[in-house]
Amino acid sequence: MLLDTRQSLETPEGALLPLTPAGFGVRVLAQLLDILIRYGIVTVIFIVLSLLGRMGTGIALILAFLLEWFYPVFFEVTRQGRTPGKKWMGIRVVNDDGTPITFGPSLLRNLLRFVDFLPMLYLTGIVASLCNRQFKRLGDLAAGSMVIYEAPPAREPSFEVRGQLPVPADFSTDEQRALLAFAERSKYLSAERQSELATILLPVIGSKDPVIAIKQMANTMVGKQ
């Protein structure tokens, strides 16, 4: 993922939400996977309903039409913006403000696929996606949506020390962040370097082993035992 395409949206709480728009290549692969799935389902439908003669064929055509246009809408609305193909490729659809996509925008962006397909092979959609930083096709521009990469799951912090110690009440927010940063990065430092850095805080912490004390304070801040 290229970092120069990443965007940061500010939430109502004032936090920054990083979003990385998905490029043309990964979206094509996701679309191909979804097409294969739909064609597989349609093939089974026609084989089964062909046993009913013309009536079965008519029902199969209706189901194929509904599947073609509402398959992506169903999954995007009920599966947090992810069709099976998008989920496999690690991408999903969201509104421009980062909120989960709803029925209206999802329906609009998918109904406009026929415009993006013109004159053939999604040429219009490809050109449109290459002309903006969010890689939006015309359907996304009209619906106010975009396709982004899934954020990697947050890993539970591990400071290699059990137990908790209260953080001194007079520690500022920046000082608490410094304690947490030390605990998180300690795994990349030698024992000697950890001791050297932690000794700086020895007068404040008042512990025989400042390294363990700092990590136990970090446990307190992240709620680990």
Side-chain angles (χ1 to χ4, degrees):
M1 290 184 288
L2 298 177
L3 296 181
D4 59 355
T5 63
R6 179 170 294 179
Q7 304 176 27
S8 293
L9 299 179
E10 186 172 355
T11 66
E13 295 78 15
L16 292 179
L17 178 65
L19 300 176
T20 305
F24 165 71
V26 68
R27 293 179 64 173
V28 168
L29 292 176
Q31 176 76 342
L32 289 175
L33 288 171
D34 285 324
I35 288 174
L36 290 175
I37 293 173
R38 291 202 302 271
Y39 280 3
I41 296 174
V42 169
T43 300
V44 173
I45 289 175
F46 270 93
I47 291 175
V48 173
L49 293 182
S50 64
L51 301 176
L52 300 178
R54 291 185 177 181
M55 182 180 70
T57 301
I59 296 174
L61 288 171
I62 294 173
L63 292 177
F65 172 83
L66 294 175
L67 188 65
E68 175 65 26
W69 293 105
F70 290 97
Y71 164 96
V73 176
F74 171 79
F75 282 105
E76 289 174 4
V77 173
T78 64
R79 295 296 185 270
Q80 299 180 336
R82 296 174 296 184
T83 62
K86 289 184 176 68
K87 183 177 181 179
W88 185 269
M89 299 306 301
I91 59 178
R92 64 190 180 100
V93 184
V94 296
N95 293 319
D96 281 343
D97 59 1
T99 56
I101 194 164
T102 53
F103 178 78
S106 178
L107 180 62
L108 178 59
R109 71 184 300 274
N110 283 290
L111 288 179
L112 289 179
R113 277 189 293 134
F114 79 94
V115 178
D116 287 306
F117 185 83
L118 297 175
M120 60 179 180
L121 301 177
Y122 285 97
L123 182 60
T124 299
I126 292 172
V127 173
S129 68
L130 296 177
C131 292
N132 61 87
R133 289 176 57 85
Q134 293 80 32
F135 306 114
K136 292 185 176 187
R137 58 180 178 83
L138 295 182
D140 290 315
L141 292 170
S145 62
M146 61 178 168
V147 182
I148 62 171
Y149 284 99
E150 287 277 12
R155 297 182 179 179
E156 184 178 358
S158 176
F159 305 134
E160 303 172 346
V161 169
R162 298 184 64 85
Q164 294 185 348
L165 275 180
V167 180
D170 58 346
F171 267 35
S172 67
T173 301
D174 288 339
E175 289 170 331
Q176 293 180 42
R177 288 175 177 168
L179 289 180
L180 194 58
F182 173 85
E184 290 175 338
R185 299 171 185 172
S186 61
K187 65 183 70 175
Y188 304 109
L189 303 174
S190 65
E192 293 78 10
R193 183 57 174 163
Q194 290 183 49
S195 179
E196 179 184 352
L197 294 173
T199 301
I200 300 174
L201 295 177
L202 187 59
V204 179
I205 296 175
S207 173
K208 293 182 179 179
D209 193 331
V211 173
I212 293 179
I214 291 175
K215 292 181 179 181
Q216 289 177 335
M217 290 179 186
N219 283 341
T220 301
M221 286 187 279
V222 299
K224 288 181 63 69
Q225 297 296 325

